[in-house]
C-alpha cells in the first residue's frame, strides 16, 4: 500500500479496506498457503444487516476473509428467504466475494432473511466456523422515475450535458451522489456550470469556469464538458476553452466532497486541442484525462493522443481526505502515442489501482481510420499502442469499458459492403481478440454503440439498428471470455417510432439503464428509459421520463446501489433550452 496514495495509519487503512471490500474488492483471490487450517469468516454483507428501503433488483453479496471454494456455494449453503419461503436464484463466487442473484426482482415492502451455512468452505476445505445470518427489507414501493426538476434557472440557453454518479457509498453525512455539468450562455459568452446532488437534493447551479474566473481575456468561450466521479464524492470535469486565433486548450476542475476546488486549471493544449475525456481508476482515487492535441515537437507534426493524470492528496484520521485545493495534483502531460499519422477522439476507461485503457482513431490514407489502443500500468506508464480492428474499413464511433481485472471491451462501427455494422473486440491476456460483429445480422444499419462492464467482467452492449421499418434500441450481454459467448440480440421494448441517441450506464453489480429519444405516434418527442438487471433482464416495457419540444442531449449515470441519475435539456415554458433531471430509485 503506497504511502501518499492511501490514508495513513493502521485504523484508516482498515476503514478503506472495509470500503473497498463492500464494493466487491475484498480478498486477494490467490490460493491459501499450504497447511491452512483457519476457517473463513464473514467481513461484510450487502445489503447491510438491518438495511431498509433496499431496491427490488438488488443482488445479495457476502465478502469473506479469504477466497471461497465455488463448489461449496449453492442455493442451500447461501440462501435468501421471505416468511420462510426460499427465494429462487443463483449463486456465484469470485475470489472472496459470493453473490446471490434473485431469479426475479424481490417483492416490495418485504423482509428477507439471508443465511450462509457452514457448508461454505475456503480453498483449503475449512468450513465457515458458524452459520452467518442477517436480514434486510425492500422498499415499500417499486422503483420509478421522479418528477423532472430544473437544474438551472438562468436566462441563457443551456446544453452540452455530462452527468456522473458516485462510485461508492460515502461514509460522510453529506454524500455527493451525482454531479451534472453543462454549458450555459449568459448573453456574452458560454460558461461551464455544475450542480451536485447531495443527500438526494440538488444543491443549485454553480459557476465552474468562464474567462473572468480563470483570469483570461474574453475569447470564444468554452465547450464539451465531461465529468466523472470517483470515491468519496470526488469528481473531475474537463472541457475545451477557445483561446482565440484558432487556439484551443484543455481545462479541468477538481471537485472535492462536499466543497469544490478553488479554481479551474489549464492542463493541456499549447495550440489546438480537442476531444477531452476523463475516467477514474477502479479505486476511484486517481483520474485520467485524455484529449487530442496538435504536436509540433516532433516530425512530422500531427494530432496526437495526450493524457494527464490527477493524484489525490494524502490524508489520515486527523487530516481530512481532500484533493489539493490548488489542483497541484495534476502530473506532467505525456503522449500516449507518437505515430506520424493523425490520431483523434480518444476514449478512456480506468480499472484497478492507477490503471486505464484508452482507444482512439488513427488516420490511414486519405479517408481511412483505424482503431488503436494502449493500456496504462502505474509501474510502467502507457504501453506500446496496438491496433484493434483488422479490416481495411473505416472505423467510427468507438467506445471502451474496462473490468477490474484489466480486461476491456471495445465496440465501434464499420461500414461493410455499404452496411453500417457493429463490431467488438475484447482485451485479455493474449491481447485484443479478433473483431466480431455483434449486431443483428437480419437487420439493416447499426449505429451509436454503447458499452458498460460490471465488476465480474460482464459487458453489456447497446446500440440502435434499423429493422422492421424503424430504428430500435438493441442490446447483448457478453460474459467474460470469448465474445462468441454473448447472448442473443434483444430488441429493447419501446414505443413505435425511431429511437435515437441511446446512452447506457451500468453499476458494478450489473444493473444497467439505457435511455434514448423517440417521437411517439402523435409526433411528440419523448425521453424513454429501460432498466436491466442480471436476474430479470431488460424491463418488459419502457418508461417515458419526459416529453416536450427541444428534447436533446440526455445523459445517464448509475451508482453502486443501482440508482440512476438522468439529465437532459428541453425547451422550458418560456421557450429557453434548459436542463432537467430525474432519479430512478
Amino acid at each position: 500500500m503506497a504511502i501518499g496514495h492511501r490514508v495513513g495509519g493502521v485504523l484508516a487503512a482498515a476503514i478503506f479496506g472495509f470500503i473497498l471490500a463492500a464494493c466487491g474488492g475484498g480478498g486477494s483471490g490467490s490460493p491459501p498457503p499450504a497447511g491452512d487450517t483457519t476457517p473463513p469468516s464473514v467481513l461484510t454483507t450487502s445489503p447491510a444487516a438491518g438495511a431498509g428501503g433496499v431496491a427490488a433488483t438488488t443482488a445479495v453479496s457476502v465478502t469473506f476473509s479469504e477466497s471461497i471454494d465455488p463448489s461449496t456455494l449453492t442455493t442451500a449453503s447461501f440462501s435468501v428467504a421471505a416468511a420462510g419461503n426460499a427465494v429462487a436464484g443463483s449463486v456465484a463466487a469470485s475470489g472472496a466475494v459470493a453473490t446471490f442473484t434473485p431469479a426475479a426482482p424481490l417483492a416490495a415492502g418485504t423482509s428477507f432473511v439471508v443465511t450462509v451455512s457452514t457448508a461454505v468452505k475456503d480453498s483449503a476445505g475449512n468450513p465457515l466456523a458458524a452459520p452467518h445470518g442477517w436480514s434486510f427489507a425492500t422498499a415499500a414501493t417499486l422503483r420509478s422515475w421522479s418528477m423532472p426538476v430544473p437544474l438551472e434557472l438562468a436566462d441563457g440557453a443551456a446544453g452540452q450535458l455530462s452527468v456522473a454518479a458516485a462510485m461508492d457509498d460515502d461514509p460522510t453525512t453529506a454524500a455527493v451522489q451525482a454531479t451534472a455539468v453543462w454549458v450555459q450562455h449568459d448573453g456574452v459568452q458560454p460558461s461551464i456550470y455544475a450542480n451536485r446532488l447531495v443527500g438526494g437534493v440538488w444543491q443549485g447551479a454553480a459557476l465552474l469556469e468562464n474567462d473572468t474566473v480563470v483570469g483570461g481575456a474574453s475569447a470564444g468561450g468554452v465547450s464539451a464538458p465531461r465529468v466523472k466521479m470517483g470515491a468519496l464524492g470526488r469528481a473531475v470535469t474537463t472541457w475545451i476553452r477557445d483561446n482565440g486565433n484558432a487556439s484551443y486548450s484543455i481545462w479541468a476542475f477538481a471537485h472535492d466532497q462536499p466543497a469544490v476546488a478553488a479554481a479551474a486549471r489549464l492542463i493541456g493544449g499549447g495550440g489546438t486541442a480537442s476531444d477531452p475525456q476523463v475516467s477514474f481508476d477502479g479505486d476511484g482515487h486517481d483520474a485520467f484525462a485524455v484529449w487530442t492535441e496538435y504536436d509540433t515537437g516532433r516530425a512530422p507534426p500531427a494530432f496526437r493522443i495526450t493524457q494527464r493524470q490527477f493524484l489525490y492528496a494524502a490524508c489520515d484520521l486527523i487530516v481530512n481526505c481532500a484533493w489539493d485545493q490548488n489542483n497541484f495534483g495534476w502530473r506532467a502531460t505525456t503522449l500516449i502515442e507518437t505515430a506520424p499519422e493523425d490520431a483523434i477522439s480518444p476514449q478512456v476507461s480506468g480499472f484497478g489501482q492507477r490503471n486505464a485503457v484508452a482507444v482512439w482513431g488513427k488516420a490511414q490514407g486519405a479517408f481511412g481510420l483505424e482503431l488503436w489502443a494502449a493500456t496504462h500500468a502505474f509501474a510502467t506508464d502507457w504501453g506500446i499502442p496496438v491496433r484493434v480492428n483488422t479490416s481495411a474499413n473505416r472505423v467510427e464511433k468507438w467506445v471502451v469499458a474496462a473490468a477490474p481485472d484489466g480486461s476491456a471491451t471495445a465496440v465501434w462501427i464499420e461500414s461493410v459492403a455499404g452496411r453500417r455494422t457493429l463490431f467488438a473486440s475484447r482485451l485479455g491476456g493474449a491481447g485484443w481478440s479478433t473483431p466480431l460483429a455483434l449486431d443483428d445480422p437480419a437487420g439493416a444499419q447499426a449505429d451509436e454503440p454503447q458499452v458498460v462492464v460490471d465488476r465480474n467482467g460482464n459487458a453489456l452492449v447497446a446500440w440502435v439498428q434499423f429493422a422492421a421499418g424503424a430504428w430500435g434500441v438493441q442490446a447483448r450481454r457478453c460474459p467474460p471470455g470469448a465474445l462468441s459467448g454473448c447472448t442473443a440480440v434483444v430488441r429493447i421494448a419501446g414505443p413505435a417510432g425511431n429511437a435515437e441517441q441511446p446512452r447506457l450506464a451500468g453499476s458494478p453489480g450489473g444493473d444497467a439503464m439505457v435511455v434514448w429519444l423517440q417521437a411517439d405516434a402523435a409526433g411528440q418527442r419523448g425521453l424513454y428509459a429501460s432498466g436491466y438487471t442480471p436476474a430479470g433482464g431488460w424491463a418488459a416495457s419502457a418508461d417515458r421520463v419526459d416529453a416536450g419540444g427541444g428534447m436533446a442531449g440526455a445523459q445517464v449515470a448509475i451508482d453502486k446501489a443501482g440508482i440512476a441519475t438522468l439529465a437532459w435539456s428541453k425547451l422550458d415554458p418560456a421557450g429557453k433550452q434548459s436542463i432537467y433531471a430525474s432519479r430512478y430509485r
Side-chain angles (χ1 to χ4, degrees), residues 145-154 158-159 161-163 180-182 195 202 527 545-556 565-583:
W145 289 99
S146 64
M147 289 294 294
V149 297
L151 294 190
E152 47 78 32
L153 300 173
L161 263 169
S162 182
V163 65
V181 299
W182 64 90
N195 200 334
W202 291 101
L527 174 60
V545 183
D546 197 12
M551 195 77 64
Q555 301 290 330
V556 65
T565 299
L566 173 60
W568 66 96
S569 67
K570 72 168 186 175
L571 294 175
D572 65 14
K576 178 186 80 73
Q577 199 74 19
S578 298
I579 307 297
Y580 292 83
S582 177
R583 296 258 286 167

Side-chain angles (χ1 to χ4, degrees), residues 215-455:
S218 179
V222 292
S223 63
R226 300 288 186 270
V227 65
K228 282 294 189 295
M229 291 189 69
L232 304 174
R234 296 172 170 133
V236 165
T237 300
T238 60
W239 63 89
I240 303 170
R241 181 183 171 199
D242 185 345
N243 305 315
N245 299 318
S247 173
Y248 300 89
S249 53
I250 307 299
W251 288 71
F253 194 99
H255 314 240
D256 204 357
Q257 142 86 347
V260 297
R265 185 175 179 187
L266 172 69
I267 64 169
T272 300
S274 62
D275 308 321
Q277 299 288 333
V278 63
S279 178
F280 277 86
D281 66 4
D283 287 349
H285 294 149
D286 299 332
F288 290 87
V290 299
W291 63 91
T292 302
E293 185 171 333
Y294 192 69
D295 175 27
T296 59
R298 54 181 45 80
F303 286 98
R304 296 191 167 95
I305 306 303
T306 309
Q307 74 93 37
R308 201 163 183 178
Q309 188 179 356
F310 191 95
L311 308 182
Y312 81 103
C315 56
D316 54 33
L317 291 179
I318 298 175
V319 178
N320 291 331
C321 297
W323 285 10
D324 176 4
Q325 296 294 290
N326 294 314
N327 283 270
F328 293 134
W330 288 102
R331 301 177 71 195
T333 300
T334 59
L335 289 174
I336 295 178
E337 56 81 42
T338 57
E341 299 85 4
D342 286 334
I344 62 170
S345 301
Q347 299 286 321
V348 63
S349 180
F351 68 91
Q353 183 179 326
R354 296 181 175 177
N355 301 324
V357 174
V359 298
W360 62 90
K362 178 179 172 182
Q364 183 63 41
F367 303 104
L369 275 176
E370 301 170 346
L371 187 63
W372 284 69
T375 301
H376 180 276
F378 178 66
T380 57
D381 212 339
W382 288 95
I384 298 173
V386 296
R387 188 177 175 186
V388 178
N389 76 309
T390 56
S391 75
N393 302 317
R394 177 185 173 91
V395 298
E396 300 178 44
K397 299 186 178 181
W398 46 85
V399 288
V400 66
D405 64 359
S407 63
T409 302
V411 296
W412 66 93
I413 297 293
E414 287 186 22
S415 182
V416 181
R419 179 184 180 274
R420 294 175 64 80
T421 304
L422 172 70
F423 282 89
S425 176
R426 177 160 276 166
L427 175 64
W432 289 94
S433 66
T434 301
L436 181 69
L438 286 191
D439 61 29
D440 183 357
Q445 311 289 344
D447 208 351
E448 303 186 79
Q450 300 278 293
V451 62
V452 294
V453 177
D454 67 21
R455 64 178 167 231

Side-chain angles (χ1 to χ4, degrees), residues 166 168-178 196-201 203 229 232-233 257-258 583:
D168 59 10
D169 292 333
D170 195 295
T172 71
T173 57
V176 178
Q177 297 153 312
R196 310 200 80 188
L197 187 76
V198 180
V201 178
Q203 301 299 294
M229 291 189 69
L232 304 174
Q257 142 86 347
R583 296 258 286 167

